[in-house]
């Protein structure tokens, strides 16, 4: 399944927010992985690149 432009843009925005939160120490790495995994499971996916 091809990734739509909307999905690519959304993925980029998610990455930007996570990087910002990690840099400002508002989110630890393990918390970030947990949140990504939790959201991915809602849509039948999984986090594959830890």
């Amino acid at each position: 399944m091809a990734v739509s432009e909307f999905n690519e843009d959304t993925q980029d925005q998610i990455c930007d927010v996570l990087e910002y939160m990690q840099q400002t120490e508002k989110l630890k790495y393990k918390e970030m992985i947990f949140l990504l995994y939790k959201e991915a499971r809602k849509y039948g996916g999984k986090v594959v690149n830890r």
Side-chain angles (χ1 to χ4, degrees):
M1 182 173 142
V3 178
S4 69
E5 276 186 41
F6 175 79
N7 286 339
E8 285 183 17
D9 188 44
T10 302
Q11 289 173 0
D12 290 343
Q13 290 176 4
I14 290 169
C15 288
D16 290 344
V17 169
L18 291 173
E19 285 179 17
Y20 171 77
M21 292 181 78
Q22 193 173 25
Q23 288 173 359
T24 59
E25 297 180 10
K26 302 222 184 284
L27 187 65
K28 304 281 187 250
Y29 182 76
K30 287 183 179 182
E31 295 169 330
M32 181 172 57
I33 294 298
F34 174 77
L35 292 172
L36 287 171
Y37 182 73
K38 184 178 172 183
E39 285 302 308
R41 285 185 57 204
K42 286 182 184 178
Y43 302 98
K46 62 182 177 178
V47 177
V48 293
N49 187 6
R50 291 181 175 205

